[in-house]
């Protein structure tokens, strides 16, 4: 039982440390639209990022075509195709674009996935969860890192 208690305590400590390292949306530092520093201090999971491309608040393929995800239906044509995106943009630039594309592309239609104020959303379905009056971003910092990790796999061969 002592080992279990130690394991639970260690897990809680690591989770607290990881959470403490997450940069809040209002504290993200954009340099010419790019975000050099990981939002969480943790590497992204490309597989989880690929899943976000078609689900929930991510749903990138609603606007972008991605050949790697051709098995999924209803790819959009509003945004540019994402094939070879890792050849066109650095990891920091992709992180900035996913977090808040308006920092790099003024007037873009792409939503800010890691922003909580200073904008008008179309309705509750496009607003993150509210907790005690605070609005959460559409994607968490780790979800942004996951999407960026996936995007970094999209290179021309």
């Amino acid at each position: 039982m002592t080992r279990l208690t130690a394991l639970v305590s260690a897990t809680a400590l690591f989770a607290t440390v990881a959470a403490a390292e997450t940069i809040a949306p209002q504290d993200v530092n954009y340099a010419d639209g790019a975000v050099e520093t990981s939002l969480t201090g943790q590497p992204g999971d490309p597989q989880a990022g690929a899943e976000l491309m078609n689900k929930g608040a991510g749903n990138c393929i609603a606007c972008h075509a991605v050949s790697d995800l051709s098995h999924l239906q209803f790819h959009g044509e509003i945004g540019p195709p994402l094939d070879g995106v890792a050849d066109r943009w650095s990891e920091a630039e992709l992180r900035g674009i996913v977090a808040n594309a308006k920092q790099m592309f003024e007037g873009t239609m792409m939503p800010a996935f890691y922003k909580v104020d200073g904008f008008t959303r179309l309705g509750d379905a496009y607003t993150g969860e509210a907790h005690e009056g605070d609005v959460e971003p559409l994607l968490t910092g780790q979800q942004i890192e996951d999407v960026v990790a996936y995007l970094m796999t999209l290179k021309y061969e």
Side-chain angles (χ1 to χ4, degrees):
M1 193 61 132
T2 304
R3 266 190 184 171
L4 179 60
T5 302
L7 179 62
V8 169
S9 295
T11 302
L13 175 63
F14 290 130
T16 301
V17 169
E21 293 177 6
T22 299
I23 298 171
Q26 63 273 15
D27 296 331
V28 175
N29 182 21
Y30 294 90
D32 294 324
V35 178
E36 294 291 335
T37 306
S38 167
L39 299 175
T40 63
Q42 303 295 317
D45 175 357
Q47 184 174 351
E51 291 175 18
L52 284 165
M53 299 288 287
N54 184 45
K55 291 184 180 175
N59 199 16
C60 306
I61 67 169
C63 295
H64 300 276
V66 184
S67 294
D68 185 56
L69 300 175
S70 62
H71 62 282
L72 300 171
Q73 295 181 326
F74 308 117
H75 290 243
E77 297 176 354
I78 295 170
L82 296 181
D83 295 347
V85 72
D87 293 325
R88 296 189 302 270
W89 303 102
S90 70
E91 181 177 354
E93 290 167 327
L94 288 172
R95 184 179 294 112
I97 292 167
V98 176
N100 185 355
K102 289 164 182 57
Q103 293 288 324
M104 189 170 291
F105 307 115
E106 187 176 331
T108 184
M109 294 174 62
M110 185 167 165
F113 288 95
Y114 202 63
K115 186 175 177 179
V116 294
D117 60 12
F119 54 85
T120 303
R121 291 243 168 99
L122 299 174
D124 291 340
Y126 299 97
T127 301
E129 296 291 320
H131 301 283
E132 298 177 23
D134 293 330
V135 175
E136 297 291 325
L138 289 172
L139 296 177
T140 67
Q142 189 58 51
Q143 288 172 321
I144 297 286
E145 294 302 323
D146 294 343
V147 169
V148 170
Y150 174 70
L151 293 173
M152 290 301 297
T153 70
L154 299 179
K155 296 183 177 193
Y156 290 120
E157 296 190 30

